[in-house]
Amino acid sequence: MQIKKISLYGKNGERRDVDFTPSQVNIITGASKKGKSSLIDIVEYCLGSSECSVAEGYIRQTVSWYSVLLLFPDSEVFIARAAPLQGQKSNSASHMMIADKVDIPEYSQLENSTNINSVVAFLTSKLGIPEQVTEVPEEQTRSSIKIGFKHSRYYLFQGQDEVAAKRILFHRQAEPHIPQAIIDTLPYFM
């Protein structure tokens, strides 16, 4: 799976795209405070994050749908996820299209055709991640984890502050409960 395009649909009906070249290193440059650091948060949100981590500011104020176009060996998958409503941390309303070659829809074509849980289930299946539940020793109070696609994101991304960090290796490792999730799921992905 590769990211081919990230698109933002504004409340004004316009779309902004960031295109990527598959199978190559893509470097995004630009002036400070123009949204480069938000790209990982946008992708994570489209791929099933429980909260929209895009920083408050211009993007959050003007975007109504976040989307990503994914490239697989046999198809393309377009996933759009509605921006959180005022005062909310996320929105499960999603629009997904699967085809040999997806034509990116216009704003007027986006609709709540599925939910984010179905998107995550599809990606888990599409990537061939079999159902696996972690084992938790009886004396532990934490719950077992049903491993799925969403757990792979710790190993797929690194923000600029994580790349240079001396004490963390994985994406979001410094957040509460994430280190234990990494400990529980890393053996599966290895």
Side-chain angles (χ1 to χ4, degrees):
M1 178 179 91
Q2 298 180 61
I3 299 170
K4 189 172 179 182
K5 183 184 298 269
I6 297 171
S7 299
L8 304 177
Y9 292 84
K11 294 176 182 175
N12 62 1
E14 294 181 13
R15 186 181 83 216
R16 297 286 305 258
D17 298 327
V18 177
D19 294 303
F20 294 89
T21 304
S23 300
Q24 294 185 14
V25 173
N26 290 257
I27 299 172
I28 300 166
T29 62
S32 181
K33 305 286 184 192
K34 295 298 179 184
K36 298 177 303 294
S37 297
S38 295
L39 292 175
I40 289 176
D41 296 326
I42 292 165
V43 171
E44 279 198 286
Y45 184 64
C46 292
L47 298 181
S49 181
S50 59
E51 293 184 12
C52 182
S53 299
V54 175
E56 290 296 333
Y58 185 76
I59 295 173
R60 286 287 289 261
Q61 294 167 1
T62 59
V63 171
S64 60
W65 287 85
Y66 300 94
S67 73
V68 63
L69 178 63
L70 304 173
L71 178 63
F72 289 88
D74 64 343
S75 61
E76 292 182 352
V77 177
F78 173 82
I79 300 166
R81 187 170 178 189
L85 300 173
Q86 186 70 30
Q88 302 292 312
K89 294 182 179 184
S90 69
N91 191 332
S92 71
S94 301
H95 179 97
M96 186 167 67
M97 298 168 38
I98 305 158
D100 290 339
K101 176 144 179 52
V102 172
D103 291 323
I104 303 296
E106 296 300 321
Y107 180 85
S108 61
Q109 297 173 297
L110 294 176
E111 60 183 26
N112 181 11
S113 62
T114 188
N115 62 50
I116 199 61
N117 292 332
S118 295
V119 170
V120 171
F122 168 80
L123 291 172
T124 299
S125 174
K126 179 80 173 161
L127 292 169
I129 300 173
E131 187 171 308
Q132 177 75 27
V133 178
T134 61
E135 294 181 20
V136 178
E138 288 184 29
E139 65 274 2
Q140 297 288 315
T141 58
R142 71 181 192 277
S143 300
S144 60
I145 298 173
K146 183 178 177 183
I147 297 174
F149 168 75
K150 67 181 185 173
H151 298 102
S152 69
R153 294 188 318 240
Y154 307 132
Y155 318 112
L156 299 176
F157 304 113
Q158 279 196 316
Q160 69 183 32
D161 59 330
E162 295 166 328
V163 170
K166 292 181 180 182
R167 292 188 164 53
I168 62 170
L169 178 61
F170 299 108
H171 184 54
R172 297 181 52 210
Q173 182 179 342
E175 296 177 22
H177 310 292
I178 301 298
Q180 187 61 55
I182 290 171
I183 290 168
D184 289 345
T185 61
L186 183 61
Y188 171 81
F189 287 105
M190 292 296 286

